[in-house]
Amino acid sequence: MVNTNGANGHDNGTKPPDDILRKTLWEFARREYSAEMPRTLTNLNKKFEVPMVKRPPPLAVATAHVANKVTEDLTRRHGPLTIQKQLERQENPVLLPRDMVRALQTAIDPEGAATRFPGCKRPVKVRGQLTAKGIMEEVHCDGHEKLGRKALRMGLAGIDIYSFRDHPGKVYT
């Protein structure tokens, strides 16, 4: 028997609008929901230019994105996985394979990769002796705001406690 309506006995539903479909496909790519894709999904990903780890951007573009994230990390503590996740969470996500991020990150900042290596000895902080030339030359301050107005929440009642210590050893309160 010939099927005249083309539905093959199944309700295939209705296709969502293109803007909703695009957002959904980009979210799937961001969450890495790409296992064995049927041909229809592959065609939709190509149509909406959904990024994939298997199709990274050109090397110059990838290097620029990784370099931006490396320069934002002042302490050099972010590894390749952190950089990869930061790039995926952007407004326009950039999906890169982790080995590519690792290679680019090592090329951009080899010292940072060496400090993240397990067993690496951190540089010792050079500590010196504090010297003051006179009274009130060097003052250390600390305060307690546990009894302050905002902490107590009792209207205008409150006591702010601050202490100042001069380097030679005198305490002023």
Side-chain angles (χ1 to χ4, degrees):
M1 177 169 238
V2 177
N3 185 359
T4 57
N5 62 359
N8 295 330
H10 296 284
D11 181 20
N12 293 330
T14 57
K15 180 182 171 196
D18 284 350
D19 57 339
I20 294 174
L21 184 60
R22 178 184 171 90
K23 287 179 185 177
T24 306
L25 289 174
W26 276 65
E27 188 62 32
F28 284 170
R30 184 178 288 134
R31 294 184 184 184
E32 300 175 7
Y33 290 156
S34 58
E36 292 294 323
M37 293 191 298
R39 191 71 188 151
T40 306
L41 186 58
T42 304
N43 291 339
L44 287 172
N45 283 339
K46 284 182 183 177
K47 176 183 174 184
F48 293 112
E49 299 174 356
V50 176
M52 295 177 63
V53 174
K54 295 178 182 179
R55 280 190 328 236
L59 186 61
V61 174
T63 305
H65 284 291
V66 172
N68 286 340
K69 291 298 175 186
V70 168
T71 54
E72 288 176 6
D73 180 24
L74 300 177
T75 59
R76 297 174 165 175
R77 301 295 299 156
H78 295 167
L81 185 62
T82 305
I83 300 287
Q84 182 185 28
K85 294 298 179 189
Q86 286 177 352
L87 290 172
E88 290 175 4
R89 291 186 189 123
Q90 292 177 350
E91 186 176 330
N92 293 324
V94 179
L95 301 180
L96 300 173
R98 190 172 68 181
D99 58 344
M100 182 181 198
V101 174
R102 182 184 308 278
L104 291 173
Q105 195 173 7
T106 304
I108 293 167
D109 185 21
E111 293 173 4
T115 58
R116 284 188 306 276
F117 187 75
C120 172
K121 290 192 175 188
R122 306 277 183 255
V124 179
K125 291 183 180 178
V126 179
R127 301 185 187 266
Q129 186 176 4
L130 298 175
T131 57
K133 297 179 182 173
I135 297 174
M136 297 301 283
E137 177 73 24
E138 194 169 311
V139 178
H140 306 282
C141 307
D142 193 14
H144 283 288
E145 296 180 356
K146 294 177 184 174
L147 300 175
R149 198 177 82 198
K150 290 182 181 178
L152 290 178
R153 296 182 185 174
M154 293 175 45
L156 297 176
I159 303 169
D160 291 331
I161 303 171
Y162 289 94
S163 179
F164 302 92
R165 182 171 190 255
D166 189 16
H167 182 68
K170 297 182 179 177
V171 177
Y172 306 100
T173 54

